[in-house]
Amino acid sequence: MTHFLDIHKTGKAELRGIIDAALRMKQARGNRTKGAADDELPLAGRMVALIFEKPSTRTRVSFDVGVRQMGGQTMVLSGADMQLGHGETIADTARVLSRYVDLIMIRTFDESVLEEMAQYASVPVINGLTDRSHPCQIMADVMTYEEHRGPIKGRKVVWCGDGNNVCTSFLHAAAQFGFDFTFTGPVQLDPEMEFVGLARNAGVSVTIERDPVRAVEGADLVLADTWVSMHDAQSARERRHNMLRPYQVNEALMTHAKPDALFMHCLPAHRGEEVTSEVMDGPQSVIFDEAENRLHAQKAIMRYCLGV
């Protein structure tokens, strides 16, 4: 079964094939209207289940539109609709859904839910996000960088802020695509050392630098993400803001990166917190290309999983 669970669990050649396919499909769409079908309809007659235990804008819309553009149909299910893992075991839900649909995308909290779904499903499962990783987003980010600046291999990528699930998937990607990675943030929010080690063992440089100015020196790509989750209590929000304020990406910080460095953010962003509007709306920002490329990257991932 060809699942897409995490970047480090997918082969380098397969990942390269997904990025190249996404770029080709984006180019092939040309000036076609947004709602129009692709020239090829590889998902014709296919049904895709989109399961959301977490709220979503970009993941939900991009997967739904992508399936429809490729001729398939979607069934969107929320955690409340399914009582996932409560009224019925995840294993049994996976077995039942596999009798109805051709592909399952799940956006959930605990990584174990994703893993159990994949273990018992007899159709491919795609990780739409867990608390630990976000591989579809990073595939879109790699695609976006290469669309603007060419191969990401050997480049310096700098993550500012919290070593969260998106940061984790960037470490996975560093190992597989061969770029150097620098994390700058408070020690309390360091990325998981397991994945720092994974990237280093793959032969790439991974640096943890507390000084954000030193961290971004010579950077080809600078990234940020929200400082707080929608589920965090107010007291936790205040503590995080105090810890992370020195790591805000602003115009002054970006001057220390390369002149042609790009800025990315997976969105939604809290303008004026982790990044200023001047950077988000500035000439180095490619955040909306990045958001669009979720659509194209995920279409390529679905085709990879289904072998079509």
Side-chain angles (χ1 to χ4, degrees):
M1 190 59 56
T2 305
H3 300 303
F4 188 77
L5 304 181
D6 269 316
I7 288 173
H8 68 303
K9 296 178 181 177
T10 304
K12 293 180 181 180
E14 287 77 12
L15 292 168
R16 172 49 54 194
I18 289 168
I19 296 293
D20 292 346
L23 289 164
R24 285 196 303 271
M25 285 190 287
K26 181 176 183 179
Q27 186 175 21
R29 282 197 65 80
N31 295 320
R32 198 176 285 107
T33 57
K34 293 180 179 63
D38 291 351
D39 290 333
E40 292 183 76
L41 299 176
L43 266 60
R46 309 267 189 158
M47 177 65 72
V48 178
L50 306 177
I51 302 172
F52 293 94
E53 285 201 293
K54 281 190 169 189
S56 169
T57 299
R58 274 151 294 280
T59 300
R60 177 168 179 165
V61 174
S62 57
F63 266 107
D64 201 346
V65 170
V67 172
R68 293 166 188 263
Q69 285 182 352
M70 294 190 293
Q73 298 184 63
T74 59
M75 177 184 298
V76 181
L77 302 164
S78 72
D81 293 331
M82 302 183 65
Q83 295 290 304
L84 191 64
H86 301 290
E88 181 177 50
T89 67
I90 295 162
D92 285 350
T93 299
R95 292 182 180 108
V96 170
L97 281 177
S98 297
R99 301 297 182 100
Y100 300 142
V101 304
D102 300 284
L103 178 67
I104 298 168
M105 188 287 304
I106 181 167
R107 182 180 174 94
T108 187
F109 293 90
D110 197 318
E111 185 181 40
S112 66
V113 174
L114 168 75
E115 292 173 344
E116 189 171 352
M117 182 71 72
Q119 180 180 351
Y120 290 97
S122 57
V123 299
V125 174
I126 294 173
N127 177 1
L129 175 141
T130 70
D131 285 345
R132 201 176 191 196
S133 64
H134 197 1
C136 291
Q137 177 65 58
I138 277 57
M139 292 298 283
D141 293 353
V142 171
M143 174 188 173
T144 305
Y145 184 86
E146 296 199 339
E147 191 175 36
H148 285 270
R149 296 289 186 264
I152 198 168
K153 184 176 181 178
R155 303 289 189 163
K156 180 179 178 180
V157 174
V158 179
W159 180 272
C160 299
D162 179 4
N164 62 9
N165 54 353
V166 185
C167 179
T168 290
S169 286
F170 258 106
L171 282 165
H172 296 164
Q176 298 293 70
F177 288 98
F179 56 82
D180 295 333
F181 187 83
T182 297
F183 170 83
T184 185
V187 65
Q188 301 95 319
L189 299 176
D190 275 353
E192 291 188 53
M193 288 301 105
E194 174 188 348
F195 299 126
V196 170
L198 181 147
R200 286 174 174 164
N201 289 339
V204 298
S205 171
V206 178
T207 303
I208 295 178
E209 171 58 66
R210 301 298 169 205
D211 182 345
V213 171
R214 290 181 62 182
V216 301
E217 287 175 356
D220 296 288
L221 172 61
V222 178
L223 301 123
D225 196 3
T226 53
W227 288 347
V228 296
S229 165
M230 66 185 74
H231 308 288
D232 289 339
Q234 184 59 36
S235 57
R237 289 170 180 258
E238 290 172 3
R239 285 196 302 272
R240 278 178 166 264
H241 277 102
N242 290 335
M243 281 193 295
L244 287 162
R245 195 165 288 114
Y247 300 97
Q248 181 191 70
V249 180
N250 50 43
E251 286 182 300
L253 186 64
M254 288 297 293
T255 62
H256 296 278
K258 286 183 179 177
D260 65 344
L262 299 178
F263 172 76
M264 292 188 197
H265 189 303
C266 65
L267 303 179
H270 296 158
R271 289 172 178 257
E273 293 184 9
E274 70 272 10
V275 59
T276 61
S277 290
E278 288 78 13
V279 171
M280 286 188 69
D281 298 327
Q284 293 170 285
S285 173
V286 290
I287 57 172
F288 297 114
D289 291 341
E290 180 187 5
E292 178 190 344
N293 285 341
R294 285 289 300 277
L295 170 66
H296 308 296
Q298 289 163 185
K299 286 166 70 174
I301 290 167
M302 287 187 278
R303 294 190 68 168
Y304 160 73
C305 289
L306 290 169
V308 294

